Amino acid sequence: MGWLFFKKPQIAIRSARASDCPDIASLHAEGGFSGSWSAEEIESLIADRAVITDIACDSRKTDLLFGFVMSRCAADEAEILTIVTGRKSRGKGFGRRLLEAHLSKLAGFGVKTLYLEVEEDNKPARALYDKMGFVTAGIRKGYYRKPDGSSANALIMKLGLDRL
């Protein structure tokens, strides 16, 4: 009997497909948002030509999703609607690789400025956005509702993609 060796997953980035919607909905539910999106809502967004959705998956098994990012484009601007890395995939650099690929794709589509909103207290997400060069452009007081009924501020962040 030989030894079994398990290789670390190798990340691949690809565009989302309709068949990914249930898995994307499951990942979105892991994101800690006050309301998660259903597979039907995600399918509707993916079908929208203005929405770009990229998946981080295992390069050997592309139906094994680690995370996703979804942006809506309008003229030369876009907004990240949501970005999630699954609980088991956090802290491995998958989110950064996913975001880098997504930014590059958006720039290739002619997007010059990208916006997002992030909960002010979401330290891991803010650290990633800071590393990627996003800057705070504004604040929405009490924007997010927390499960305990309290609220949290949303930071509006932006990034110029003309540097990519």
Side-chain angles (χ1 to χ4, degrees):
M1 179 172 171
W3 290 94
L4 292 177
F5 292 96
F6 296 98
K7 292 183 178 179
K8 280 177 87 174
Q10 296 298 311
I11 190 173
I13 309 296
R14 65 170 174 79
S15 296
R17 304 182 286 242
S19 61
D20 296 320
C21 292
D23 293 328
I24 292 172
S26 293
L27 282 171
H28 196 264
E30 288 184 28
F33 305 108
S34 60
S36 56
W37 296 342
S38 70
E40 292 78 20
E41 290 170 312
I42 290 167
E43 187 170 5
S44 177
L45 285 163
I46 288 174
D48 184 336
R49 294 184 63 183
V51 175
I52 308 298
T53 306
D54 289 316
I55 301 291
C57 60
D58 189 313
S59 64
R60 295 161 297 177
K61 189 173 185 214
T62 61
D63 61 340
L64 178 59
L65 307 188
F66 301 132
F68 76 98
V69 58
M70 181 180 287
S71 295
R72 177 175 283 130
C73 302
D76 65 349
E77 295 183 346
E79 176 188 10
I80 291 180
L81 301 175
T82 190
I83 180 169
V84 177
T85 303
R87 281 188 194 107
K88 294 179 182 177
S89 302
R90 293 180 187 156
K92 299 178 182 176
F94 292 169
R96 181 180 178 102
R97 295 213 19 228
L98 174 61
L99 188 55
E100 286 171 344
H102 192 68
L103 296 177
S104 185
K105 181 186 272 188
L106 291 173
F109 287 146
V111 172
K112 301 219 181 308
T113 308
L114 178 63
Y115 294 90
L116 61 82
E117 292 169 350
V118 62
E119 186 178 319
E120 190 173 39
D121 296 333
N122 187 338
K123 290 183 171 105
R126 290 198 44 210
L128 173 61
Y129 303 143
D130 288 343
K131 285 180 193 170
M132 300 298 292
F134 282 85
V135 296
T136 301
I139 189 166
R140 289 194 170 122
K141 299 264 185 200
Y143 184 75
Y144 291 111
R145 293 280 166 239
K146 293 186 168 207
D148 67 4
S150 65
S151 63
N153 296 334
L155 297 180
I156 302 165
M157 301 188 83
K158 74 177 186 174
L159 176 69
L161 298 184
D162 50 355
R163 64 179 178 81
L164 298 179

